[in-house]
Amino acid sequence: MNGNATEPEITEPNMRALLGSVGLDVEYLRAEGNTLVQAGADGEDVAVLDHVGGYGSLLLGHNNPEIVAHAKKLLDARTPVHIQFSRHSSANRLALALNRILHRELETTEDYLAFFASTGAEAVETAIKHAELDRRMRIGALIAEIDSHVEEVRAASRSGSASVPGSVQAELGVSGPEELIAHVRAHNEALLAKPPLFLALEGSFHGKLAGSVQLTHNPVVRDPFQALAAQARFVPIDRPDALAKVVDSEQAALLDLTIDAGVVTVAPRNYPVFTAFLVEPVQGEGGINVLSEEFTTQLRRTADALDVPVVVDEIQCGMGRTGTFLAGSAVGLRGDYYTLAKSLGGGIAKISILLIRQAKYRPEFEFLHSSTFAKDGFSTAIALKVVELLEAEDGAAYRRAAELGARLKSALDGVAADFPGVVKAVRGKGLMLGLEFEDQTGSPSEPVRAAALQGILGYVIAGYLLREHRIRIFPTASAPNTLRFEPSLQLTDEEIEQTATALRAVSAILRDRPDRIFQP
């Protein structure tokens, strides 16, 4: 069932056409657990195994019965939803519950203060706004200190108690204290006029809004909008040497003046060039890449040296999907900010949260930022129920994610072992896995070559798997040869076997008869 064929398509019609070209323009009627239901040619129900999982939003499955029952209870109770500028007890209880988990996994007693939003990208935007406010306030304090020193030099020079050495005047091309002061102020003003920079990783995805898209590495989605906001410097994953090189190339210093025994000297002061360092512990759109503990240790050390906050984006990989509530905690990553979304809404609510370490928190931000739908009574209550379910039985959900993920990965590894010239790698952790196919731009099949060159072969493969094996799966956005597996905790051994069988079939086709992948 694909809707009324006589209706004009005015909702992203070009995307609909692309999906139709590879057999993915399917309308689903119902959903439960890992199963979607579409109508067959004769109107019968056709069950489809869903590995897309709302791009990581469905850890608890489609229409989880406990979440649905809780939602009905909230609605039947006429729970107030939009009550801006009032107390939000369910939002506060959720923040407290999340803090208990962070305290446990990060082995800290420091609290993280919360800001709510509706989407992951909005949480990222909130994070970078807060980080920039913090940077500007630190700069303001530094400039105020420098200005006071400048006035001290001016007064001392006029009274004759201090002088500027000739060597300093010659080096900077100035004559006397007033020209030196003018030089210092001009240098500092020029530096202050430059836009801030961010640090992010190659392969990163942090959203597609005006600010967050600048932090998304894929140039296809980022380049058209570069003029809209501050830019990022992208660092290769697991390359500490490259991280140091990027940081060193952007370092800058303000100029300060000091007086020592009647002699005026010029002193450099470290200038906070970077607003924040954004990191996904397990990259989703970049091809399912897990950061190493060695790299996260170096990343944290570098950020501390620069006094740059680390924003850990757990939007897709967090909430227990990889076997721990925070994917970053398993690789030793400690963040100053955390963003959570997707599965936080239990598959039915749109909610995200930014958590900021108390030592980095700026209370002023509360009066500068707001969101109409933030902290609404329905979504925060749903999210609180999600956390309750994840934490039940001493975190049984996390153990199940790790166990199911290990079984699914073993099955994918088996496919890779059977088709070494077709499957390049299997990566990931828990229920966030990727299977990467070898490059097919040299395929003997002209249509396969063309699809590979256009970057859509992953979608062609997805169309085949849906058509022939009733499996719904998509490639990652920035690594289109990698299929992404993000099923729910309700994944069964039968569904794992169904997945392995289908992947063996498509791998055999790519190896032996690649043209068949296009045949209905």
Side-chain angles (χ1 to χ4, degrees):
M1 179 177 178
N2 290 299
N4 190 334
T6 64
E7 293 177 348
E9 187 69 42
I10 60 172
T11 303
E12 299 184 69
N14 299 292
M15 179 62 75
R16 165 72 182 274
L18 175 61
L19 293 175
S21 71
V22 292
L24 293 172
D25 61 333
V26 174
E27 185 170 344
Y28 296 99
L29 309 176
R30 295 186 303 283
E32 183 177 1
N34 285 314
T35 301
L36 289 162
V37 175
Q38 67 177 95
D42 298 322
E44 75 282 9
D45 284 355
V46 176
V48 174
L49 170 58
D50 183 19
H51 275 298
V52 178
Y55 292 128
S57 300
L58 297 166
L59 182 63
L60 297 176
H62 288 281
N63 292 311
N64 179 282
E66 292 187 75
I67 297 294
V68 170
H70 190 61
K72 289 179 177 178
K73 181 180 177 181
L74 292 169
L75 296 173
D76 287 343
R78 289 169 172 72
T79 301
V81 178
H82 299 303
I83 46 172
Q84 297 87 345
F85 274 98
S86 62
R87 292 183 63 185
H88 297 267
S89 59
S90 63
N92 195 58
R93 287 197 298 272
L94 174 58
L96 289 170
L98 292 172
N99 264 270
R100 287 191 290 273
I101 298 172
L102 265 63
H103 291 167
R104 181 185 71 227
E105 293 207 356
L106 301 179
E107 299 179 344
T108 182
T109 58
E110 185 174 9
D111 285 337
Y112 283 72
L113 285 82
F115 280 93
F116 287 85
S118 300
T119 68
E122 190 184 353
V124 170
E125 295 273 338
T126 307
I128 63 178
K129 279 183 65 179
H130 183 281
E132 177 59 9
L133 175 66
D134 175 60
R135 188 186 80 98
R136 296 300 301 182
M137 292 181 74
R138 287 186 285 123
I139 291 171
L142 184 55
I143 288 295
E145 183 182 341
I146 290 172
D147 284 346
S148 70
H149 294 165
V150 166
E151 291 307 316
E152 289 172 8
V153 167
R154 173 175 278 135
S157 298
R158 287 175 177 173
S159 69
S161 61
S163 61
V164 182
S167 59
V168 172
Q169 296 185 57
E171 180 184 351
L172 299 179
V174 300
S175 177
E178 287 302 325
E179 285 194 17
L180 176 60
I181 289 171
H183 174 86
V184 166
R185 284 188 164 155
H187 171 90
N188 291 348
E189 287 170 4
L191 195 54
L192 292 171
K194 292 183 178 180
L197 293 174
F198 291 87
L199 288 166
L201 300 181
E202 291 184 358
S204 63
F205 182 91
H206 297 290
K208 292 181 179 178
L209 299 182
S212 58
V213 75
Q214 314 301 335
L215 312 169
T216 292
H217 182 234
N218 188 346
V220 173
V221 300
R222 174 170 47 86
D223 284 354
F225 310 105
Q226 278 189 316
L228 292 178
Q231 300 300 297
R233 297 293 178 261
F234 294 99
V235 179
I237 294 176
D238 289 341
R239 287 273 310 281
D241 58 323
L243 172 57
K245 186 176 180 180
V246 169
V247 168
D248 289 345
S249 69
E250 299 291 349
Q251 289 284 60
L254 293 166
L255 296 182
D256 196 0
L257 296 178
T258 62
I259 303 173
D260 185 13
V263 176
V264 177
T265 58
V266 180
R269 302 289 297 273
N270 289 334
Y271 178 70
V273 174
F274 297 105
T275 295
F277 197 155
L278 285 92
V279 185
E280 299 162 277
V282 182
Q283 291 185 331
E285 304 302 334
I288 314 298
N289 303 304
V290 183
L291 300 190
S292 70
E293 189 162 354
E294 177 187 3
F295 184 68
T296 62
T297 299
Q298 180 62 41
L299 183 156
R300 182 72 257 184
R301 188 179 298 126
T302 300
D304 288 342
L306 294 171
D307 196 18
V308 172
V310 174
V311 180
V312 183
D313 184 338
E314 296 265 358
I315 290 165
Q316 187 170 167
C317 60
M319 298 296 300
R321 178 165 290 281
T322 63
T324 50
F325 185 85
L326 298 173
S329 67
V331 292
L333 182 58
R334 298 294 181 266
D336 300 299
Y337 299 20
Y338 285 91
T339 55
L340 297 164
K342 292 189 181 286
S343 285
L344 184 63
I348 63 172
K350 296 176 182 178
I351 181 173
S352 62
I353 189 170
L354 165 66
L355 296 163
I356 304 171
R357 188 162 66 92
Q358 192 155 30
K360 296 287 186 180
Y361 187 76
R362 292 288 187 176
E364 298 86 350
F365 191 70
E366 297 178 26
F367 305 98
L368 299 173
H369 179 83
S370 63
S371 176
T372 297
F373 299 115
K375 296 186 292 187
D376 78 84
F378 178 77
S379 66
T380 53
I382 291 294
L384 192 58
K385 182 65 174 179
V386 169
V387 173
E388 175 190 315
L389 293 175
L390 293 177
E391 289 284 292
E393 299 178 51
D394 196 27
Y398 312 134
R399 296 190 294 276
R400 180 163 177 78
E403 292 164 3
L404 286 175
R407 286 186 228 164
L408 179 57
K409 187 174 185 299
S410 177
L412 300 184
D413 284 335
V415 175
D418 291 344
F419 295 90
V422 178
V423 178
K424 183 176 181 179
V426 174
R427 295 184 295 273
K429 195 169 186 180
L431 291 174
M432 187 174 180
L433 300 173
L435 182 143
E436 181 181 4
F437 288 98
E438 294 282 3
D439 178 30
Q440 297 293 321
T441 55
S443 170
S445 164
E446 193 281 328
V448 169
R449 275 198 317 276
L453 287 168
Q454 294 173 52
I456 64 168
L457 182 58
Y459 292 95
V460 172
I461 292 171
Y464 166 84
L465 292 171
L466 179 60
R467 183 177 69 245
E468 300 296 333
H469 296 274
R470 303 306 180 197
I471 291 177
R472 182 173 185 258
I473 193 166
F474 294 140
T476 59
S478 300
N481 287 340
T482 300
L483 296 182
R484 168 176 35 193
F485 299 81
E486 294 187 346
S488 81
L489 292 170
Q490 299 176 42
L491 184 68
T492 65
D493 287 339
E494 291 76 17
E495 290 170 335
I496 291 174
E497 181 59 32
Q498 178 187 352
T499 301
T501 298
L503 290 171
R504 282 189 167 85
V506 75
S507 296
I509 288 175
L510 288 172
R511 182 188 63 192
D512 302 327
R513 299 182 63 186
D515 284 345
R516 283 192 57 203
I517 201 167
F518 295 93
Q519 296 173 3

